[in-house]
Amino acid sequence: MQDLMQELQQLRSELNTALALLKERGIKLAETERAYKLAKARKIEEERDKKTAVSLIRELVIGDVAVSQLRMERDKARVMYRSVDEAINIKKLELRIVESQIGREWHA
Protein backbone atom coordinates (compact mmCIF):
# COMPACT_ATOMS: atom_id res chain seq x y z
CA MET A 1 0.00 0.00 0.00
CA GLN A 2 2.83 2.36 0.89
CA ASP A 3 4.49 1.68 -2.49
CA LEU A 4 1.27 2.57 -4.29
CA MET A 5 0.94 5.80 -2.33
CA GLN A 6 4.51 6.75 -3.24
CA GLU A 7 3.85 5.89 -6.88
CA LEU A 8 0.70 8.01 -6.80
CA GLN A 9 2.63 10.93 -5.35
CA GLN A 10 5.34 10.52 -8.01
CA LEU A 11 2.77 10.45 -10.82
CA ARG A 12 1.09 13.58 -9.48
CA SER A 13 4.45 15.33 -9.39
CA GLU A 14 5.19 14.25 -12.97
CA LEU A 15 1.74 15.43 -14.05
CA ASN A 16 2.32 18.86 -12.51
CA THR A 17 5.68 19.09 -14.27
CA ALA A 18 4.08 18.13 -17.57
CA LEU A 19 1.35 20.74 -17.08
CA ALA A 20 3.96 23.45 -16.56
CA LEU A 21 5.80 22.25 -19.66
CA LEU A 22 2.55 22.31 -21.64
CA LYS A 23 2.13 25.98 -20.76
CA GLU A 24 5.66 26.76 -21.94
CA ARG A 25 5.20 24.81 -25.15
CA GLY A 26 1.81 26.43 -25.74
CA ILE A 27 3.35 29.89 -25.48
CA LYS A 28 6.15 28.84 -27.84
CA LEU A 29 3.57 27.48 -30.29
CA ALA A 30 1.62 30.73 -30.20
CA GLU A 31 4.78 32.77 -30.78
CA THR A 32 5.91 30.65 -33.73
CA GLU A 33 2.40 30.68 -35.21
CA ARG A 34 2.35 34.47 -34.97
CA ALA A 35 5.78 34.87 -36.57
CA TYR A 36 4.81 32.56 -39.43
CA LYS A 37 1.52 34.31 -40.13
CA LEU A 38 3.10 37.76 -40.04
CA ALA A 39 5.88 36.73 -42.44
CA LYS A 40 3.33 35.11 -44.72
CA ALA A 41 1.15 38.24 -44.72
CA ARG A 42 4.18 40.46 -45.46
CA LYS A 43 5.19 38.23 -48.37
CA ILE A 44 1.65 38.26 -49.78
CA GLU A 45 1.59 42.05 -49.55
CA GLU A 46 5.00 42.21 -51.22
CA GLU A 47 3.80 40.05 -54.11
CA ARG A 48 0.62 42.11 -54.51
CA ASP A 49 2.69 45.29 -54.65
CA LYS A 50 4.73 43.70 -57.46
CA LYS A 51 1.44 43.00 -59.28
CA THR A 52 2.06 39.26 -59.21
CA ALA A 53 -0.81 37.20 -60.57
CA VAL A 54 -3.12 36.25 -57.72
CA SER A 55 -3.04 32.60 -58.77
CA LEU A 56 0.76 32.51 -58.25
CA ILE A 57 0.99 34.34 -54.93
CA ARG A 58 0.18 31.34 -52.76
CA GLU A 59 2.86 29.19 -54.37
CA LEU A 60 5.44 31.96 -54.18
CA VAL A 61 4.69 32.60 -50.52
CA ILE A 62 4.87 28.92 -49.58
CA GLY A 63 8.14 28.56 -51.50
CA ASP A 64 9.79 31.58 -49.88
CA VAL A 65 12.79 30.45 -47.81
CA ALA A 66 12.06 32.67 -44.81
CA VAL A 67 8.35 31.83 -44.74
CA SER A 68 8.96 28.09 -45.13
CA GLN A 69 11.55 28.18 -42.32
CA LEU A 70 9.02 29.86 -40.03
CA ARG A 71 6.39 27.32 -41.06
CA MET A 72 8.77 24.49 -40.13
CA GLU A 73 9.44 26.12 -36.74
CA ARG A 74 5.69 26.41 -36.19
CA ASP A 75 5.18 22.77 -37.13
CA LYS A 76 7.95 21.64 -34.77
CA ALA A 77 6.44 23.70 -31.94
CA ARG A 78 3.06 22.10 -32.65
CA VAL A 79 4.56 18.60 -32.43
CA MET A 80 6.31 19.44 -29.16
CA TYR A 81 3.05 20.81 -27.73
CA ARG A 82 1.08 17.74 -28.78
CA SER A 83 3.69 15.38 -27.37
CA VAL A 84 3.38 16.96 -23.92
CA ASP A 85 -0.40 16.95 -24.23
CA GLU A 86 -0.30 13.22 -24.96
CA ALA A 87 2.13 12.63 -22.07
CA ILE A 88 -0.37 14.35 -19.77
CA ASN A 89 -3.12 12.00 -20.95
CA ILE A 90 -0.87 9.01 -20.26
CA LYS A 91 -0.04 10.30 -16.77
CA LYS A 92 -3.74 10.75 -16.04
CA LEU A 93 -4.41 7.18 -17.11
CA GLU A 94 -1.55 5.91 -14.95
CA LEU A 95 -2.96 7.89 -12.01
CA ARG A 96 -6.38 6.30 -12.46
CA ILE A 97 -4.83 2.84 -12.57
CA VAL A 98 -2.87 3.41 -9.35
CA GLU A 99 -5.90 4.97 -7.67
CA SER A 100 -8.03 1.95 -8.54
CA GLN A 101 -5.29 -0.38 -7.23
CA ILE A 102 -5.27 1.58 -3.98
CA GLY A 103 -9.06 1.33 -3.83
CA ARG A 104 -8.95 -2.42 -4.30
CA GLU A 105 -6.32 -2.84 -1.59
CA TRP A 106 -8.19 -0.49 0.75
CA HIS A 107 -11.41 -2.49 0.48
CA ALA A 108 -9.71 -5.91 0.55
Side-chain angles (χ1 to χ4, degrees):
M1 179 71 131
Q2 186 65 27
D3 291 342
L4 288 174
M5 294 303 282
Q6 287 175 345
E7 185 177 355
L8 183 66
Q9 200 58 19
Q10 178 64 32
L11 287 169
R12 285 181 176 162
S13 175
E14 290 171 6
L15 181 61
N16 286 333
T17 301
L19 287 168
L21 187 56
L22 185 70
K23 178 183 175 185
E24 290 174 24
R25 298 247 172 110
I27 290 169
K28 175 74 172 165
L29 174 58
E31 289 169 350
T32 57
E33 181 78 30
R34 180 178 181 271
Y36 167 65
K37 286 185 175 183
L38 287 173
K40 187 176 169 184
R42 277 193 295 268
K43 184 66 178 171
I44 289 171
E45 187 177 343
E46 211 176 275
E47 293 301 326
R48 284 184 179 163
D49 289 345
K50 288 195 255 180
K51 306 288 187 216
T52 304
V54 173
S55 58
L56 296 176
I57 290 177
R58 184 178 187 281
E59 292 301 317
L60 291 171
V61 169
I62 289 173
D64 183 73
V65 175
V67 172
S68 64
Q69 179 66 34
L70 289 169
R71 182 177 177 165
M72 183 178 70
E73 294 300 319
R74 188 259 338 243
D75 292 346
K76 289 191 309 188
R78 186 175 287 160
V79 168
M80 297 302 286
Y81 177 84
R82 288 181 180 161
S83 70
V84 174
D85 191 40
E86 192 58 33
I88 287 170
N89 289 332
I90 291 167
K91 289 294 171 204
K92 286 195 241 179
L93 178 60
E94 290 173 345
L95 274 165
R96 278 186 241 128
I97 290 169
V98 171
E99 286 171 344
S100 70
Q101 287 175 331
I102 291 170
R104 281 193 302 273
E105 283 191 20
W106 186 265
H107 297 301

